[in-house]
Amino acid sequence: MPPTFTDEGLPAAIELRRAYPDIGNIFTELDLPPSDTHHRRVLAVLRLRG
């Protein structure tokens, strides 16, 4: 069954779609390529925390 959107959820989905390129740019800047074995968001936080 396809996902359904409420009036509140649709703007959030659109904003999230706009954020994906920015998130990808952050991963690229941190030199975090796509991986099947590691979660890039976790790795980005760990790298930024230093």
Side-chain angles (χ1 to χ4, degrees):
M1 180 179 340
T4 58
F5 295 102
T6 63
D7 289 339
E8 297 84 25
L10 187 56
I14 293 170
E15 291 300 321
L16 187 58
R17 196 174 341 151
R18 285 184 178 175
Y20 279 132
D22 294 328
I23 294 168
N25 290 338
I26 292 169
F27 291 148
T28 301
E29 186 174 317
L30 293 174
D31 193 30
L32 296 172
S35 173
D36 290 336
T37 58
H38 297 96
H39 199 287
R40 292 192 301 169
R41 291 180 183 176
V42 173
L43 293 173
V45 169
L46 293 174
R47 186 159 302 165
L48 288 173
R49 288 192 69 199

